[in-house]
Amino acid sequence: MNFPIRGSLHRHGEGCRTVPLAGHVGFDSLPDQLVNKSVSQGFCFNILCVGETGLGKSTLMDTLFNTKFEGEPATHTQPGVQLRSNTYDLQESNVGLKLTIVSTVGFGDQINKEDSYKPIVEFIDAQFEAYLQEELKIRRVLHAYHDSRIHACLYFIAPTGHSLKSLDLVTMKKLDSKVNIIPIIAKSDAISKSELTKFKIKITSELVSNGVQIYQFPTDDESVAEINGTMNAHLPFAVIGSTEELKIGNKMMKARQYPWGTVQVENEAHCDFVKLREMLIRVNMEDLREQTHSRHYELYRRCKLEEMGFQDTDPDSKPFSLQETYEAKRNEFLGELQKKEEEMRQMFVQRVKEKEAELKEAEKELHEKFDRLKKLHQDEKKKLEDKKKSLDDEVNAFKQRKTAAELLQSQGSQAGGSQTLKRDKEKKNLGFL
């Protein structure tokens, strides 16, 4: 009997046929193979700690992983929110963990807190974008790529005992579609048990009324459904962190010493630290990683590809292949490019024409100015020539008058001399008489 191939069964919506095995084959060792491969490669886990300065974020991280992470203490003088990332290699038994802790330095320290969430959102998106770019490469090396996407966001809430601050609500609302948020009440030993219970109820109510989606521990796996369902009811966790060990009874335990008594970090009657560690590390770490990839990163990836014009189906709801999408996008790009080239050419021609018109107008103005100057020069020259002629006429007239005057003067002198001689002769003649 010929059976149809499995792929065709899936395409036609038919189920796979179950057949019995006559003996041992060996693929039941696949889980062991997967475990061995995963252990040899190691794991990575990235935690984002969001909260105001002084809420004990660094101390809680040291307490959670039972070590002392080196880091500079944060100050309250930051001009804005800065994200500081540190990566550590941890080893427990034969399992290696590359742990990245990202802290929000200066969060909540500014007078204007309106944009405090933006650097956090930008950082998370930047890690998604880096992974997407690696994924889209022709030669991918995802097995060796250091995945820096945030798997869990521990949101530290100040133990005010009243309600959430507007900064907390706005920030969590902006982050809930990008990261798995686990809200925790920091330094919970600062308020009484009755106040803490009311505070938890108030926080949960405000989160629900404002539509903030926090991470819910999964209950679809029967092996952890009961404990996760119980722990979901305890959110947000009220925690205390301390790296100081005190002798209590016959044991050394992490605790905080106060004048009125001792608070034990790992005592579930004192705080929810053990619950947080169980849920975050020992039970749901892999689910947090999976949720980050399948939900938050997938949402970012889909939105990005849709922005780039990629679709799964065409307008007729038919399957659309990547090659067809690429060709359509390429043709669209080439069409736009040609359109822009034509627009630029038209613009260039128009500007050339405008420049030519400007140059012609300038040339016309220069010619007109030259003609005006030339006419003005000719008029001035004619005036000078007329003035010169007038002066020459005056000079000639003056010379003529001068000559006439000199002539008259000489004639007068001659006439005067003749009369004198005549008088002298007359006097002589009279004298003889």
Side-chain angles (χ1 to χ4, degrees):
M1 181 179 291
N2 294 325
F3 292 100
I5 59 173
R6 184 170 180 174
S8 65
L9 289 176
H10 278 289
R11 283 199 296 267
H12 290 86
E14 300 176 10
C16 297
R17 186 171 183 178
T18 303
V19 294
L21 299 178
H24 182 261
V25 177
F27 58 79
D28 59 349
S29 65
L30 273 174
D32 296 331
Q33 297 175 36
L34 183 61
V35 168
N36 293 334
K37 184 177 180 180
S38 299
V39 169
S40 65
Q41 290 178 348
F43 302 88
C44 73
F45 192 64
N46 307 318
I47 300 177
L48 171 65
C49 297
V50 181
E52 299 176 7
T53 308
L55 288 180
K57 298 186 291 293
S58 299
T59 303
L60 184 65
M61 289 299 101
D62 293 345
T63 312
L64 269 175
F65 292 94
N66 200 21
T67 187
K68 177 65 177 175
F69 296 114
E70 297 179 358
E72 299 178 1
T75 63
H76 292 268
T77 58
Q78 298 292 337
V81 180
Q82 299 177 0
L83 279 84
R84 185 182 298 167
S85 177
N86 294 293
T87 303
Y88 309 92
D89 285 319
L90 307 180
Q91 189 79 23
E92 187 174 40
S93 300
N94 65 332
V95 178
L97 178 67
K98 187 181 288 293
L99 176 68
T100 299
I101 299 174
V102 183
S103 57
T104 52
V105 180
F107 181 79
D109 291 340
Q110 294 75 36
I111 296 175
N112 183 4
K113 303 177 177 63
E114 184 178 354
D115 297 331
S116 294
Y117 69 88
K118 287 186 178 179
I120 305 173
V121 172
E122 290 170 359
F123 179 86
I124 295 172
D125 285 345
Q127 311 318 307
F128 284 153
E129 182 64 25
Y131 191 89
L132 178 60
Q133 291 301 322
E134 182 65 28
E135 197 176 49
L136 293 176
K137 285 181 179 179
I138 296 175
R139 296 183 179 180
R140 301 186 298 178
V141 285
L142 290 174
H143 63 280
Y145 175 77
H146 173 54
D147 186 4
S148 58
R149 295 172 298 176
I150 301 299
H151 300 123
C153 170
L154 296 182
Y155 197 97
F156 288 69
I157 300 170
T160 60
H162 301 293
S163 62
L164 286 171
K165 299 178 181 179
S166 59
L167 172 64
D168 298 328
L169 283 171
V170 170
T171 304
M172 281 193 275
K173 184 62 179 175
K174 295 292 183 181
L175 297 180
D176 66 355
S177 63
K178 297 178 178 294
V179 70
N180 302 310
I181 300 176
I182 302 176
I184 57 177
I185 301 171
K187 296 185 175 181
S188 61
D189 53 342
I191 53 179
S192 67
K193 277 211 167 189
S194 59
E195 290 175 332
L196 186 59
T197 302
K198 293 178 183 177
F199 192 32
K200 281 189 174 187
I201 296 172
K202 182 69 174 175
I203 290 172
T204 304
S205 173
E206 289 184 341
L207 291 176
V208 172
S209 62
N210 286 277
V212 178
Q213 300 292 325
I214 63 173
Y215 174 73
Q216 294 291 316
F217 304 120
T219 56
D220 51 354
D221 185 353
E222 293 182 359
S223 61
V224 294
E226 184 177 353
I227 185 173
N228 279 347
T230 303
M231 290 303 160
N232 281 329
H234 283 83
L235 288 170
F237 293 134
V239 298
I240 303 166
S242 176
T243 55
E244 182 183 358
E245 291 193 349
L246 300 175
K247 189 172 183 180
I248 299 174
N250 296 324
K251 293 182 179 180
M252 297 297 294
M253 304 182 69
K254 288 184 173 62
R256 298 185 72 88
Q257 183 72 53
Y258 293 100
W260 46 263
T262 303
V263 177
Q264 300 173 28
V265 173
E266 295 177 314
N267 188 334
E268 293 192 53
H270 291 182
C271 71
D272 297 332
F273 172 80
V274 173
K275 295 183 178 68
L276 174 64
R277 184 177 61 191
E278 289 288 325
M279 293 295 99
L280 180 67
I281 301 175
R282 299 181 181 179
V283 179
N284 297 302
M285 180 181 280
E286 181 55 31
D287 184 73
L288 286 163
R289 286 157 42 91
E290 183 183 341
Q291 285 291 318
T292 298
H293 182 78
S294 62
R295 180 184 167 200
H296 300 298
Y297 169 70
E298 200 61 33
L299 176 62
Y300 177 86
R301 177 180 175 275
R302 186 177 75 241
C303 293
K304 268 292 182 181
L305 292 179
E306 286 177 352
E307 286 178 9
M308 295 165 65
F310 291 97
Q311 298 287 341
D312 290 332
T313 58
D314 61 12
D316 299 327
S317 299
K318 295 180 181 178
F320 214 42
S321 70
L322 186 64
Q323 179 66 26
E324 291 173 344
T325 305
Y326 170 76
E327 289 296 336
K329 205 63 186 166
R330 182 174 179 273
N331 293 334
E332 181 184 349
F333 172 75
L334 291 175
E336 290 179 357
L337 186 62
Q338 290 177 353
K339 183 179 178 182
K340 286 188 177 181
E341 285 179 354
E342 181 63 23
E343 288 176 355
M344 290 179 68
R345 191 184 70 80
Q346 293 291 341
M347 188 181 296
F348 176 75
V349 171
Q350 182 65 26
R351 288 188 177 180
V352 168
K353 288 181 179 178
E354 290 174 357
K355 199 66 179 178
E356 286 179 349
E358 289 177 5
L359 290 173
K360 286 180 179 179
E361 186 67 25
E363 185 180 7
K364 182 180 177 182
E365 290 178 359
L366 284 173
H367 280 300
E368 291 176 352
K369 187 176 181 181
F370 175 75
D371 292 339
R372 287 197 306 271
L373 291 174
K374 185 178 179 180
K375 186 176 182 304
L376 182 63
H377 174 71
Q378 290 174 349
D379 292 343
E380 291 291 333
K381 184 179 179 181
K382 187 174 182 303
K383 287 180 182 178
L384 287 173
E385 288 176 350
D386 292 344
K387 194 170 184 180
K388 182 183 177 184
K389 183 179 179 182
S390 176
L391 287 173
D392 288 342
D393 293 342
E394 289 179 2
V395 169
N396 291 332
F398 175 76
K399 285 181 178 180
Q400 289 176 1
R401 287 194 301 272
K402 182 181 178 183
T403 303
E406 288 177 349
L407 181 60
L408 289 173
Q409 187 179 3
S410 67
Q411 289 177 354
S413 298
Q414 290 177 359
S418 299
Q419 289 178 0
T420 303
L421 288 173
K422 186 176 181 181
R423 282 195 299 269
D424 290 342
K425 285 181 178 181
E426 290 178 352
K427 284 180 181 179
K428 285 181 179 182
N429 292 332
L430 288 175
F432 289 127
L433 293 176

